[in-house]
């Protein structure tokens, strides 16, 4: 049956695997061989006195060995001691302590001997000592009275135990006493205070000794420390508490841990630094402990000998101590003797080489007896650390012991010489299966034995040739190594072992597997606290291997937390916290290989608030604030914001003071007088702002006179005979002291008057009565308090109250530009008559009547406002052929002045609107009757109507156009001589002397000839035919699509062919305004105060087009809500009031104006 073995791919695992193969080359247990010690107790064996003592000694050999013991150098007869037994088939001793025996009675040095007919092997000398944990000796401890700042040493002096105890200091509540650079425990267990502080006063300094071997803890009597204060506390330069003097020596053994200690007293607390004179501290083996008071070097060697200097330093000075270190060495092996298997007549050597400091002495024993007194063997010769064997025989078999010793210890090794004559054996199982990852080394085992030592050869395949070449490595233990195994390396390999006594072979199988790979590795993540983190780990592996995926955090198992969700190829961490910060590793293992990938998770959050705020350098107008930053939570602090609270004027309200970069922890702050300051600091990083720190202590600044005066001083009258002086009062911290008041001063400008002043408090305005109407005043407001006045304030100009203007504008003139636009001029009103700040002029205008119809109507007044000192303006949106009146008024801050005399002007004729309706009735075979209504807005005297019509055939093509002129007094017409059963399209409009108005269209059909109808009735009714119905459906769908397209184009402003013809008849009088034609004001409608909406439709005239009036308000600005500047752009605002006056005639009072008509166009 084939046995399977998986060869690891890593270099370390490969070396271990090879070493296991080498060590396995042992003499098979079915062959005769001397004893070999396989297990023994340690040389220094400390036992628990409460438990049985077990001294191990195990050995193998053929025949099986027997065991004996010595105690303290003499034979130990276990049969005579009822408490001692030896385990069956073993040399292990069991000393029964739990049934009455005493461990102390069995202290001593024990040695085991394992013996058979081919030799004797011996164990190390095993020193048995029971552990001890004695009690503390009782002592009376006096309280320690220490002056603040002095040094103090509390001695522990634990009892001597075996092994030595572990020392620690605690209080009565079993809480460890805190240690620091100032207070720490020395290597000897004493507690050292570099300087004592008042908080060190306590009565429960307790030293504990823990004896691990017996799991017991001993307690010293509590020590009392009382610190008394003296002012001032005297600072002291450093003094060493341990070690004493300037130099000392230290001896340490090679391979041990070197511990050097320096503890110093001083105030301020000294800082310790270590150097090695003439060299560097060894990298990677040097560590600092106990707040750098202890220097630790692990695995020391002779090279670490030298002088080590510790330096203790504070602000007052320094002190140093030099420790001379010497590294000695107990014996250690260079070459330990190895078992030697020889065939009769062969030669061989045993080598025993060791080193140490001092140099160890080498001695040999044979079967446990010094070789000098051992039985003679002519085949051996001792040469110092080597025994040479020549032409050995079977009687030369024996066990030899090599002992290397110096004053610091000894080494003892057993090595046998076994003389055998054996044909080759292959110890590796037959048909063993090896599985290896591609491109990794393959090690094929061929463990063998034979005497003489067999030669090993390897073959590949059943009839393969012997393997040679650089692609193979042949090890002495028979192993074949393929350094880089490829897919082609798979197959059967044969190992052949031969010596002079015979030959044997064995086959093994090699399989090559695809490597395991992580094709998508976890990536670095920066996640905000309480967010979600996800790491991917997608793998590819050999289909015959079963991978297992394991996730680690910081090279340890994932926390047992339900927030960690491990999926098939990912790890998700829900609601991440700060403790989730770390390195996450995905490890994929198969039986042959292992791969891993890691990624770091950084959890970021807003910084923790700063703490330990301290105020220093207090001055009248400045102070220094310092603080300690809180944890930045993995996102660097970018800046600190400093806020202050004024407990005197605004308690509980925090104000922004300043901010500094995140690298700065102190700031000089400017202060105002008479403020009780508290400060707090807020840290800011990319994630956000921290919580505010705890407030600093309060600091009250001294009072002073005000530094500044009120801002925003104004003087504006509320009545014609007063002046209201207002200002922005100073805030509390701006007062600089108690008794804040304001000195208000005023005098009339350009008049030789003295200042009038008044002092007020707790107000922000003052009213001066009895002033002339609208005259300028010089004003100033000055702050003062109980300590004096602020600097002289600057003066501002204000005015007393306004009154309504007294005079109307004169010389009002109107120039009519076209039928919808006029320009008005007026003379400005003298400034003295305005009696206030000139706001502008308002033009009121209204239509009196239409000149084409002498009808009475409601007056609809409109208002245009012209800002500033304007003397002209444009009046847009007039109706053609109408009579208008207007007047002009000046406006100040108080209101409007009197109106100028009404000015009458008329607008010229324009083109009419479309006829109000067009109806076509009474169709016959060759005639149609047309009826129409006159235009709603004739805009002049109608001169005639124009009728155009043309036929439309079955394909919707238009025929020839016929035009007829109709007198203006007609309202109907019968068209004759038309074609029967024909559709006609009619275009109808009205004319004035100016031109044609918009047309209205209709369609109508003459009736069908009856004779032909009868003929048609005898024909097949195609309307019932299926093909006709389908055709009609298709036509209907096409028409629907065309209607949709036309509707879209119409909304976008597109024009039909008929519309293009209509455009040709536009009003020739309407032309765009030039930039210098005038200025448009703010437009108001006194009708209903509602702005005209662009796109609204006029129900009385569906067909009115945009071309009706190019002078409409819409064409001059943004709808009617704009204003017109002097260049003709509209800046007005449409608003106003409605005044109803009687008018002649029966004209409708709501007749739409051209402006309304223009707005109805879409």
């Amino acid at each position: 049956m084939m046995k399977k073995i998986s060869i690891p791919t890593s270099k370390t695992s490969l070396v271990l695997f090879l070493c296991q193969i080498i060590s396995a080359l042992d003499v098979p247990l079915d062959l005769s061989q001397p004893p070999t010690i396989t297990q023994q107790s340690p040389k220094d064996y400390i036992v628990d006195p409460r438990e049985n003592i077990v001294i191990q000694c195990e050995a193998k050999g053929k025949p099986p060995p027997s065991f004996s013991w010595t105690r303290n150098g003499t034979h130990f007869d276990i049969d005579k001691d009822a408490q001692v037994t030896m385990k069956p088939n073993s040399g292990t001793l069991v000393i029964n302590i739990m049934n009455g025996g005493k461990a102390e009675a069995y202290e001593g040095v024990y040695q085991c001997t394992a013996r058979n007919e081919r030799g004797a092997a011996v164990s190390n000398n095993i020193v048995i000592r029971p552990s001890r944990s004695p009690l503390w000796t009782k002592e009376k401890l006096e309280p320690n009275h220490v002056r603040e700042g002095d040094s103090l040493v509390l001695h522990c002096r634990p009892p001597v135990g075996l092994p030595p105890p572990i020392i620690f200091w605690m209080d009565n509540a079993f809480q460890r006493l805190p240690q620091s650079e100032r207070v720490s425990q020395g290597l000897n267990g004493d507690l050292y205070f570099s300087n004592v502080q008042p908080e060190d006063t306590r009565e429960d300094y307790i030293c504990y000794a823990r004896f691990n071997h017996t799991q017991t803890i001993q307690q010293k009597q509590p020590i009392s420390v009382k610190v008394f204060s003296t002012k001032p506390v005297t600072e002291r330069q450093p003094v060493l508490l341990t070690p004493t003097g300037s130099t000392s020596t230290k001896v340490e053994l090679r391979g041990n841990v070197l511990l050097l200690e320096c503890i110093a007293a001083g105030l301020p607390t000294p800082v310790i630094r270590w150097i090695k004179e003439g060299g560097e501290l060894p990298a990677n083996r040097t560590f600092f402990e106990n707040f750098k008071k202890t220097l630790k070097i692990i695995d020391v060697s002779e090279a670490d000998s030298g002088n080590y200097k510790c330096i203790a330093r504070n602000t007052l000075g320094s002190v140093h101590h030099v420790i001379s270190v010497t590294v000695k060495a107990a014996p250690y092996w260079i070459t330990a003797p190895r078992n030697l298997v020889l065939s009769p007549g062969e030669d061989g050597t045993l080598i025993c080489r060791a080193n140490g400091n001092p140099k160890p002495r080498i001695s040999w024993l044979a079967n446990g007896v010094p070789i000098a007194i051992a039985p003679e063997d002519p085949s051996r010769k001792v040469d110092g650390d080597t025994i040479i064997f020549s032409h050995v025989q079977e009687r030369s078999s024996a066990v030899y012991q090599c002992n290397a010793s110096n004053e610091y210890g000894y080494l003892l090794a057993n090595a046998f010489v076994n003389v055998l004559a054996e044909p080759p054996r292959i110890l590796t199982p037959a048909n063993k299966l090896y599985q290896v990852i591609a491109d990794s080394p393959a090690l094929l085992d061929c463990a063998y034995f034979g005497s003489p030592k067999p030669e090993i050869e390897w073959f590949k395949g059943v009839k393969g040739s012997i393997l040679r070449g650089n692609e193979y490595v042949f090890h002495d233990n028979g192993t074949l190594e393929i350094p880089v195994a490829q897919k082609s390396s798979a197959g059967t390999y044969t190992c052949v072992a031969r010596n002079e006594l015979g030959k044997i072979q064995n086959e093994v199988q090699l399989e090559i597997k695809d490597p395991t790979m992580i094709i998508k590795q976890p990536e670095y993540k920066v996640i905000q606290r309480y967010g979600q983190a996800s790491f991917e780990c997608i793998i590819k592996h050999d289909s015959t291997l079963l991978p297992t995926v394991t996730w680690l955090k910081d090279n340890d198992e994932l926390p047992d937390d339900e927030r960690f969700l491990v999926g098939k190829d990912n790890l998700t961490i829900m609601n991440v916290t700060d403790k989730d910060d770390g390195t996450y590793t995905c490890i994929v293992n198969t039986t042959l290989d292992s791969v891993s990938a890691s990624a770091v998770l950084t959890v970021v959050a807003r910084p923790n608030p700063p703490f330990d705020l301290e105020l220093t350098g207090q001055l009248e107008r400045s102070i220094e604030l310092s603080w300690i930053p809180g944890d930045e939570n993995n996102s660097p602090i970018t800046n600190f914001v400093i806020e202050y609270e004024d407990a005197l004027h605004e308690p509980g309200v925090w104000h922004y003071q300043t901010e500094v970069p995140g690298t700065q922890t102190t700031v000089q702050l400017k202060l105002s007088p008479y403020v009780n300051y508290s400060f707090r600091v807020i840290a800011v990083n990319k994630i956000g702002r921290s919580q505010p720190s705890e407030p600093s202590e309060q600091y009250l600044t001294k009072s002073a006179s005000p530094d500044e005066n009120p801002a925003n001083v104004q003087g504006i009258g509320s009545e014609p005979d007063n002046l209201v002086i207002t200002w922005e009062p100073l805030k509390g911290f701006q007062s600089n002291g108690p008794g804040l008041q304001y000195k208000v001063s005023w005098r009339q400008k350009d008049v030789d008057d003295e200042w009038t002043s008044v002092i007020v408090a707790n107000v922000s305005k003052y009213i001066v009565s009895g002033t002339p109407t609208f005259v300028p005043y010089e004003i100033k407001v000055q702050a003062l308090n109980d300590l004096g006045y602020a600097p002289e304030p600057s003066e501002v100009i204000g005015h007393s109250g306004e009154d309504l203007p007294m005079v109307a504008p004169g010389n009002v003139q109107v120039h009519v530009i076209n039928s919808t636009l006029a320009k008005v001029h007026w003379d400005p009103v003298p400034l003295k008559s305005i009696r206030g700040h000139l706001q502008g002029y308002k033009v009121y205008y209204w239509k009196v009547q239409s000149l084409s119809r002498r009808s009475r109507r409601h007056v609809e007044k409109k208002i245009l406002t012209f800002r500033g000192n304007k003397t002209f303006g444009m009046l847009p949106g007039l109706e053609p052929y109408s009579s208008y009146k207007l007047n002009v008024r000046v406006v100040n801050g108080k209101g409007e002045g009197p109106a100028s005399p009404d000015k009458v002007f008329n607008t010229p004729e324009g083109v009419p609107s479309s006829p109000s309706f067009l109806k076509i009735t009474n169709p016959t075979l060759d005639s149609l009757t047309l009826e129409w209504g006159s235009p709603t807005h004739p805009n002049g005297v109608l001169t005639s109507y124009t009728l155009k019509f043309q036929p439309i055939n079955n394909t919707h093509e238009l025929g020839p156009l016929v035009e007829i002129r109709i007198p203006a007094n007609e309202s109907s017409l019968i068209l004759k001589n038309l074609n029967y059963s024909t559709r006609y399209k009619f275009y109808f409009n009205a004319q004035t002397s100016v031109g044609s108005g918009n047309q209205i269209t209709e369609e109508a059909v003459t009736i069908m000839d009856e004779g032909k109808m009868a003929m048609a009735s005898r024909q097949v009714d195609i309307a019932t035919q299926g093909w006709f119905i389908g055709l009609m459906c298709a036509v209907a769908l096409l028409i629907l699509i065309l209607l949709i397209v036309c509707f879209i184009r119409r909304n976008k402003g597109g024009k039909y062919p008929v519309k293009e013809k209509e455009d040709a008849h536009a009003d020739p009088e309407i032309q765009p305004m030039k930039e210098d034609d005038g200025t448009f004001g703010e437009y108001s409608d006194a009708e209903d105060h509602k702005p005209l909406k662009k796109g609204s439709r006029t129900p009385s005239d569906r067909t009115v087009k945009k071309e009706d009036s190019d002078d409409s308000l819409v064409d001059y600005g943004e709808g009617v809500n704009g204003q017109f500047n002097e260049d003709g752009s509209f800046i007005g605002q449409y608003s106003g009031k409605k005044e109803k006056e009687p008018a002649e005639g029966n004209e409708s009072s709501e007749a739409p104006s051209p402006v309304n008509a223009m707005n109805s166009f879409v």
Side-chain angles (χ1 to χ4, degrees):
M1 182 177 178
M2 184 178 293
K3 301 181 72 174
K4 183 173 73 173
I5 185 170
S6 301
I7 300 179
T9 58
S10 69
K11 292 183 178 180
T12 304
S13 300
L14 183 63
V15 172
L16 293 174
F17 179 75
L18 189 58
C19 291
Q20 290 170 357
I21 293 176
I22 295 172
S23 62
L25 293 179
D26 218 342
V27 179
L29 283 176
D30 63 332
L31 298 178
S32 296
Q33 57 186 289
T36 299
I37 300 290
T38 58
Q39 192 172 1
Q40 58 184 317
S41 294
K43 293 179 182 179
D44 191 8
Y45 188 17
I46 299 175
V47 299
D48 190 333
R50 300 166 298 183
E51 298 178 356
N52 292 340
I53 301 173
V54 178
I55 310 175
Q56 290 184 328
C57 181
E58 303 290 341
K60 66 178 182 176
K62 180 70 173 182
S66 60
F67 297 90
S68 62
W69 286 86
T70 62
R71 177 183 172 189
N72 297 329
T74 61
H75 177 67
F76 181 34
D77 191 350
I78 61 175
D79 294 332
K80 294 183 178 180
D81 192 331
Q83 303 294 332
V84 181
T85 58
M86 185 183 295
K87 291 183 177 181
N89 302 317
S90 168
T92 297
L93 296 181
V94 178
I95 303 174
N96 195 335
I97 301 299
M98 301 177 71
N99 287 335
K102 292 185 177 181
E104 291 79 3
Y106 293 94
E107 277 192 77
V109 180
Y110 293 77
Q111 190 173 38
C112 169
T113 301
R115 187 185 306 275
N116 69 9
E117 61 188 32
R118 286 194 167 241
V122 297
S123 71
N124 292 320
N125 288 326
I126 302 170
V127 180
I128 301 296
R129 294 185 296 171
S131 64
R132 290 186 291 272
S133 52
L135 297 175
W136 238 293
T137 57
K138 289 189 177 181
E139 55 182 330
K140 185 177 181 181
L141 300 176
E142 296 294 335
N144 292 273
H145 296 273
V146 193
R147 181 175 57 189
E148 180 182 356
D150 286 356
S151 62
L152 175 65
V153 180
L154 300 183
H155 298 287
C156 180
R157 299 192 183 99
V160 178
L162 186 68
I166 297 173
I167 306 300
F168 53 94
W169 289 80
M170 301 178 74
D171 59 16
N172 273 332
F174 296 101
Q175 299 297 313
R176 284 186 179 268
L177 295 176
Q179 298 191 23
S180 62
E181 289 184 339
R182 186 178 62 85
V183 182
S184 61
Q185 178 182 314
L187 294 176
N188 63 354
D190 292 346
L191 191 63
Y192 292 85
F193 295 77
S194 295
N195 53 80
V196 295
Q197 301 295 326
E199 59 265 26
D200 297 327
T201 297
R202 62 190 308 155
E203 297 181 350
D204 57 349
Y205 287 93
I206 305 173
C207 181
Y208 288 86
R210 183 173 68 213
F211 297 90
N212 282 345
H213 211 82
T214 58
Q215 295 297 310
T216 57
I217 295 178
Q218 304 291 352
Q219 173 184 333
K220 186 182 179 74
Q221 291 292 323
I223 302 175
S224 173
V225 174
K226 295 182 179 179
V227 179
F228 59 91
S229 298
T230 57
K231 298 295 182 179
V233 177
T234 304
E235 293 186 340
R236 295 176 292 106
Q237 65 182 18
V239 176
L240 286 175
L241 297 175
T242 183
T244 57
S246 60
T247 61
S248 60
T249 60
K250 172 80 171 181
V251 176
E252 191 55 78
L253 292 182
R254 179 181 183 271
N256 286 356
V257 176
L258 174 65
L259 293 174
L260 304 179
E261 180 181 59
C262 274
I263 301 177
L267 185 67
T269 303
V271 176
I272 305 296
R273 186 168 66 92
W274 291 89
I275 61 172
K276 183 181 182 182
E277 293 183 343
E280 299 290 333
L281 296 173
N284 303 324
R285 295 188 293 115
T286 301
F287 303 91
F288 297 101
E289 297 180 345
N290 197 20
F291 308 97
K292 292 192 175 182
K293 299 174 187 179
T294 301
L295 171 65
K296 177 180 178 180
I297 302 176
I298 62 174
D299 192 23
V300 295
S301 64
E302 288 86 343
D304 295 321
S305 297
N307 293 331
Y308 293 80
K309 179 187 288 187
C310 69
I311 303 167
R313 185 186 305 275
N314 68 6
T315 55
L316 300 184
S318 64
V319 65
H320 69 269
H321 183 94
V322 177
I323 304 174
S324 180
V325 175
T326 303
V327 178
K328 298 290 186 178
Y332 56 92
W333 290 117
I334 296 176
T335 304
R338 298 171 63 96
N339 291 338
L340 189 60
V341 178
L342 300 173
S343 63
E346 280 191 315
D347 301 336
T349 57
L350 287 178
I351 300 174
C352 177
R353 290 177 183 161
N355 201 358
N357 186 9
K359 183 80 173 175
R361 182 175 61 85
I362 304 295
S363 60
W364 287 96
L365 295 88
N367 295 326
V369 178
I371 201 164
I373 60 175
E376 290 270 346
D377 184 351
S379 65
R380 75 172 178 238
K381 176 184 177 182
V382 179
D383 184 9
D385 57 9
T386 304
I387 301 180
I388 304 170
F389 296 92
S390 305
H391 304 289
V392 296
Q393 301 300 320
E394 187 174 350
R395 65 177 180 274
S396 300
S397 297
V399 182
Y400 292 87
Q401 289 81 36
C402 173
N403 184 297
S405 60
N406 66 12
E407 61 187 276
Y408 298 107
Y410 73 94
L411 294 173
L412 178 66
N414 290 276
F416 64 65
V417 175
N418 194 15
V419 181
L420 293 172
E422 286 291 327
R425 296 185 182 190
I426 292 181
L427 307 178
T428 300
N431 291 319
K432 190 172 183 180
L433 175 62
Y434 292 88
Q435 295 179 328
V436 177
I437 295 295
D439 298 325
S440 300
L443 295 171
L444 308 183
D445 184 17
C446 184
Y448 64 90
F449 182 79
S451 186
K453 180 180 179 181
E455 294 182 358
I456 302 297
E457 292 177 326
W458 280 93
F459 301 84
K460 183 179 181 185
V462 179
K463 297 181 179 180
S465 59
I466 188 169
L467 297 181
R468 292 187 177 89
N470 295 330
E471 65 265 36
Y472 301 104
V473 178
F474 302 95
H475 293 277
D476 289 340
N477 63 357
T479 297
L480 169 66
E481 179 181 353
I482 307 173
V484 182
Q486 306 290 339
K487 286 284 188 179
S488 60
S489 303
T492 301
Y493 290 81
T494 302
C495 164
V496 178
R498 60 165 57 92
N499 67 7
E500 62 190 37
L501 300 179
K503 168 186 169 184
I504 193 171
Q505 69 180 36
N506 187 36
E507 290 183 352
V508 295
Q509 307 296 324
L510 176 61
E511 290 182 355
I512 307 299
K513 305 292 185 180
D514 291 328
T516 304
M517 294 183 292
I518 299 177
I519 58 177
K520 186 158 187 182
Q521 300 185 355
E523 298 177 346
Y524 174 71
K525 301 282 185 183
V526 177
I527 304 294
Q528 286 194 32
R529 187 187 293 164
Y530 308 125
Q532 175 179 315
S534 183
F535 295 104
E536 287 189 293
C537 185
I538 301 176
I539 64 173
K540 179 182 178 183
H541 61 91
D542 192 286
S543 59
T544 63
L545 299 178
L546 183 63
T548 58
V549 179
T550 305
W551 287 91
L552 302 179
K553 178 182 183 295
D554 297 329
N555 295 322
D556 204 350
E557 292 184 359
L558 290 178
D560 184 14
D561 191 328
E562 61 184 9
R563 296 182 300 108
F564 288 77
L565 306 177
V566 179
K568 177 184 176 183
D569 50 16
N570 61 30
L571 167 66
T572 301
I573 308 171
M574 310 293 293
N575 197 25
V576 297
T577 62
D578 293 341
K579 65 180 181 181
D580 298 329
D581 205 273
T583 301
Y584 290 83
T585 304
C586 165
I587 301 177
V588 185
N589 289 308
T590 68
T591 53
L592 298 183
D593 62 350
S594 177
V595 291
S596 65
S598 299
V600 174
L601 171 62
T602 300
V603 181
V604 297
R606 296 184 301 171
N608 291 348
F611 57 95
D612 281 358
L613 273 63
E614 184 178 3
L615 297 176
T616 56
Q618 289 90 341
L619 299 174
E620 288 187 5
R621 292 296 182 100
S622 68
I623 198 168
E624 185 176 273
L625 172 66
S626 61
W627 61 90
I628 298 176
D631 192 336
E632 63 184 18
N633 291 325
N634 295 323
S635 180
I637 295 174
T638 56
N639 57 293
F640 293 99
V641 177
I642 293 90
E643 297 180 339
Y644 72 92
E645 175 198 26
D646 180 4
L648 194 63
H649 302 99
E650 293 181 289
V653 179
W654 291 90
H655 300 277
Y656 173 87
Q657 171 90 6
T658 187
E659 58 185 84
V660 297
T663 56
Q664 188 173 328
T665 57
T666 61
V667 63
Q668 194 77 20
L669 300 175
K670 294 182 178 179
L671 306 179
S672 296
Y674 194 54
V675 177
N676 194 6
Y677 282 99
S678 288
F679 299 97
R680 69 182 188 185
V681 183
I682 299 171
V684 182
N685 63 10
K686 288 185 178 180
I687 311 304
R689 295 162 61 101
S690 73
Q691 292 294 320
S693 67
E694 291 295 323
S696 69
E697 60 181 307
Q698 292 185 339
Y699 179 62
L700 178 63
T701 54
K702 294 181 180 179
S703 301
S705 58
D707 294 324
E708 52 190 307
N709 288 302
N712 198 22
V713 177
Q714 292 182 328
I716 302 174
S718 61
E719 298 294 338
D721 61 349
N722 75 6
L723 171 66
V724 180
I725 301 173
T726 60
W727 61 91
E728 189 175 303
L730 298 182
K731 296 180 180 178
F733 74 92
Q734 295 175 307
S735 65
N736 286 6
L740 176 65
Q741 295 177 299
Y742 302 99
K743 180 182 179 182
V744 184
S745 303
W746 68 93
R747 68 179 178 185
Q748 190 171 335
K749 191 174 184 296
D750 300 328
V751 177
D752 191 15
D753 280 352
E754 295 294 327
W755 286 94
T756 302
S757 300
V758 65
I759 294 178
V760 296
N762 301 320
V763 295
S764 59
K765 75 175 180 178
Y766 182 78
I767 300 176
V768 181
S769 301
T771 63
T773 300
F774 196 68
V775 295
Y777 278 85
E778 294 176 316
I779 304 167
K780 57 184 180 180
V781 180
Q782 185 178 22
L784 67 152
N785 62 17
D786 292 349
L787 283 83
Y789 285 85
E792 184 67 22
S794 57
E795 300 169 5
V796 298
I797 303 300
H799 287 81
S800 57
E802 300 180 65
D803 206 345
L804 291 175
M806 301 170 59
V807 178
N811 193 25
V812 177
Q813 300 293 329
V814 179
H815 171 60
V816 177
I817 296 174
N818 58 37
S819 62
T820 61
L821 183 65
K823 185 175 184 180
V824 60
H825 293 262
W826 61 88
D827 290 341
V829 174
L831 291 178
K832 289 186 178 181
S833 300
I834 296 175
R835 300 201 297 179
H837 295 286
L838 175 63
Q839 303 293 322
Y841 292 88
K842 283 187 178 182
V843 177
Y844 285 74
Y845 66 102
W846 62 95
K847 178 180 175 182
V848 178
Q849 65 179 11
S850 171
L851 297 179
S852 60
R853 298 176 183 175
R854 302 294 178 178
S855 57
R856 298 177 62 85
R857 66 186 303 274
H858 294 293
V859 174
E860 180 187 345
K861 283 194 174 182
K862 296 178 182 177
I863 306 168
L864 279 175
T865 300
F866 298 89
R867 299 292 183 185
N869 194 21
K870 290 288 180 63
T871 59
F872 64 91
M874 305 298 293
L875 303 181
L878 304 177
E879 294 185 17
Y881 205 51
S882 299
S883 177
Y884 279 87
K885 287 185 179 181
L886 66 75
N887 60 54
V888 184
R889 309 175 193 189
V890 69
V891 182
N892 67 10
K894 191 72 173 179
E896 300 176 3
S900 66
D902 290 348
K903 186 75 174 180
V904 179
F905 66 96
N906 297 329
T907 56
E909 288 188 79
V911 297
S913 63
S914 60
S916 58
F917 67 90
L918 174 63
K919 294 192 294 186
I920 303 174
T921 60
N922 302 324
T924 67
L925 286 173
D926 61 351
S927 68
L928 293 169
T929 300
L930 282 68
E931 297 178 359
W932 60 86
S934 60
T936 306
H937 300 286
N939 295 337
V941 178
L942 293 180
T943 60
S944 64
Y945 294 99
T946 298
L947 173 65
K948 299 177 184 178
F949 63 94
Q950 59 190 145
I952 305 175
N953 65 15
N954 292 335
T955 60
H956 301 283
E957 295 178 349
L958 299 174
L961 186 67
V962 178
E963 181 175 335
I964 300 175
R965 301 285 287 193
I966 303 170
N969 57 352
E970 298 290 339
S971 62
S972 65
L973 175 68
I974 298 175
L975 281 179
K976 297 181 179 182
N977 300 321
L978 301 176
N979 296 328
Y980 65 86
S981 188
T982 303
R983 177 175 295 277
Y984 287 89
K985 187 164 187 177
F986 298 91
Y987 313 92
F988 192 71
N989 61 8
Q991 289 89 31
T992 65
S993 60
V994 176
S996 298
N998 288 337
Q999 60 190 12
I1000 185 171
T1001 65
E1002 285 292 344
E1003 292 184 9
V1005 182
T1006 58
I1007 65 175
M1008 185 177 291
D1009 182 32
E1010 294 180 358
K1012 293 194 174 185
M1013 288 178 62
M1015 183 184 297
S1017 66
R1018 292 195 295 271
Q1019 297 176 354
V1020 178
D1021 188 0
I1022 63 173
T1024 62
Q1025 301 300 308
W1027 63 269
F1028 182 76
I1029 295 173
L1031 178 62
M1032 290 300 100
C1033 291
V1035 170
L1037 178 60
L1038 180 60
I1039 292 173
L1040 178 61
I1041 293 173
L1042 289 173
L1043 287 174
I1044 293 172
V1045 172
C1046 292
F1047 178 75
I1048 293 173
R1049 289 190 60 198
R1050 181 178 180 85
N1051 283 341
K1052 291 185 177 179
K1055 296 181 179 180
Y1056 298 104
V1058 175
K1059 176 70 174 73
E1060 294 173 358
K1061 294 180 182 180
E1062 294 170 355
D1063 290 345
H1065 301 286
D1067 185 353
E1069 183 180 351
I1070 301 173
Q1071 300 295 331
M1073 286 296 299
K1074 296 180 181 179
E1075 291 187 2
D1076 58 353
D1077 281 345
T1079 301
F1080 293 87
E1082 296 179 357
Y1083 187 51
S1084 303
D1085 187 349
E1087 177 69 24
D1088 54 6
H1089 297 276
K1090 294 182 180 178
L1092 293 174
K1093 294 185 180 178
K1094 186 174 182 180
S1096 64
R1097 299 184 179 272
T1098 305
S1100 62
D1101 188 358
R1102 296 181 292 107
T1103 61
V1104 174
K1105 307 300 180 184
K1106 183 175 182 179
E1107 290 77 1
D1108 284 357
S1109 174
D1110 286 349
D1111 296 326
S1112 70
L1113 294 179
V1114 179
D1115 285 348
Y1116 287 111
E1118 296 294 329
V1120 296
N1121 291 326
Q1123 293 182 351
F1124 289 96
N1125 291 321
E1126 291 183 7
D1127 60 359
S1129 59
F1130 186 54
I1131 62 170
Q1133 192 169 321
Y1134 186 50
S1135 64
K1137 57 187 178 180
K1138 180 175 182 180
E1139 297 180 12
K1140 295 195 176 181
E1141 297 178 3
E1144 296 179 359
N1146 297 320
E1147 183 179 350
S1148 171
S1149 62
E1150 295 294 333
S1153 68
V1155 176
N1156 294 333
M1158 187 66 242
N1159 280 323
S1160 69
F1161 176 73
V1162 177

